[in-house]
Amino acid sequence: MNTSHPRRKFIQQSAKAGIALSIGSVLSPKTKANEIQPIPFAQTPLSYAFNALEPNIDAMTMEIHYTKHAATYTKNLNDAAAIEFKGENISLEEAMKKISQYSPKLRNNGGGHFNHELFWKCMQPGTSTLHEGGLKQAIISSFNSFENFKSKMSDAALTRFGSGWAWLVVAADKKLAIGSTANQDNPLMDVSPIKGIPLLGLDVWEHAYYLKYQNRRAEYVNNWFNLVNWKFVEERMIKLG
Ligand code: MN
């Protein structure tokens, strides 16, 4: 039998998948499935269309970013977590607090998954307005003015050399702070130069802006502020207490 024939191989693989599926379906999800993979991480569907953030972020960039880059982080996180979490029902946030104990694969893809899930929610189509309220007060109290906050956040985004993220976080002292991280690290991680719970994250990897802005990161960052979903950021801050 010629097993290298693509069609035959496909049929064989489908048959194997069929067997695996029928065994899997009779297992209790609370026992065997959890021992194999504690948390199958998944991308949350976007609450807006790929073209909804235009002209600030173009549809093609959004589509590739969400369906290719971010999807790959999620897949690779699941692969790494299946091995490294060893069936322990640990949340991604808890794992990040001791990320130095895990592999670079879990660090890069765990950060990649978490950061992008937050990033999509931090943006919205339409007018972006920070209304009077707790978040605005906290921003003014921490940075003197909204304009000063924006300037500091932009600086963090523009001075991050290479790929990374700029962050607004709630620090341990409950004050807001701004900083940046390299690659897919984030402020929850024990390896991060800025520590805290991220409220707002700005992706400054070239894949986030290159098709439209090429080398003009400053223009991307400036336009990105038109998209910030301040309502989401404020609700996130309130939830943290
Ligand atoms: Mn990205």
Side-chain angles (χ1 to χ4, degrees):
M1 189 171 69
N2 179 10
T3 53
S4 67
H5 190 281
R7 187 159 175 271
R8 187 173 296 280
K9 204 167 181 183
F10 172 72
I11 292 165
Q12 285 171 341
Q13 284 171 348
S14 302
K16 279 184 202 159
I19 293 162
L21 190 67
S22 61
I23 293 170
S25 62
V26 297
L27 296 174
S28 158
K30 283 192 174 173
T31 55
K32 292 288 168 61
N34 276 359
E35 284 166 23
I36 297 162
Q37 190 178 84
I39 307 158
F41 298 99
Q43 285 185 285
T44 310
L46 283 184
S47 64
Y48 43 80
F50 292 132
N51 66 359
L53 305 183
E54 292 196 352
N56 300 295
I57 299 179
D58 61 287
M60 177 72 86
T61 295
M62 280 302 295
E63 182 169 357
I64 295 172
H65 201 176
Y66 181 87
T67 66
K68 306 292 182 193
H69 293 279
T72 302
Y73 294 129
T74 306
K75 184 201 171 293
N76 290 341
L77 166 62
N78 279 321
D79 292 348
I83 296 164
E84 297 184 49
F85 286 3
K86 300 183 179 77
E88 195 188 343
N89 198 11
I90 187 168
S91 73
L92 192 53
E93 286 84 349
E94 286 304 312
M96 285 179 187
K97 289 177 190 168
K98 50 176 183 173
I99 203 71
S100 57
Q101 297 174 28
Y102 293 100
S103 69
K105 183 174 180 177
L106 196 99
R107 174 176 169 179
N108 291 334
N109 294 288
H113 175 72
F114 178 91
N115 298 349
H116 287 87
E117 286 292 297
L118 180 64
F119 183 59
W120 313 129
K121 295 188 181 88
C122 284
M123 299 186 291
Q124 55 151 51
T127 314
S128 171
T129 312
L130 175 58
H131 292 288
E132 296 301 327
L135 179 60
K136 192 171 182 181
Q137 283 170 15
I139 283 176
I140 291 171
S141 145
S142 303
F143 309 111
N144 297 321
S145 68
F146 181 79
E147 283 313 305
N148 202 30
F149 149 76
K150 195 174 159 184
S151 161
K152 282 194 163 189
M153 184 92 181
S154 300
D155 279 354
L158 298 178
T159 56
R160 168 50 55 190
F161 185 77
S163 298
W165 291 75
W167 302 101
L168 172 68
V169 306
V170 181
D173 61 5
K174 297 275 177 192
K175 288 191 176 157
L176 301 183
I178 287 168
S180 74
T181 52
N183 303 318
Q184 294 295 351
D185 288 352
N186 67 49
L188 293 171
M189 293 181 177
D190 57 359
V191 294
S192 174
I194 173 178
K195 300 280 199 311
I197 300 172
L199 290 183
L200 178 64
L202 167 53
D203 189 343
V204 294
W205 281 59
E206 283 186 346
H207 69 222
Y209 63 87
Y210 199 85
L211 292 181
K212 182 180 170 79
Y213 296 98
Q214 293 88 45
N215 62 317
R216 305 186 306 278
R217 188 190 283 190
E219 196 181 325
Y220 158 67
V221 168
N222 192 50
N223 289 348
W224 177 82
F225 280 101
N226 297 328
L227 298 172
V228 175
N229 185 344
W230 288 112
K231 190 166 177 281
F232 167 77
V233 178
E234 180 160 62
E235 282 166 2
R236 193 168 159 79
M237 186 187 78
I238 291 165
K239 261 189 245 166
L240 294 172

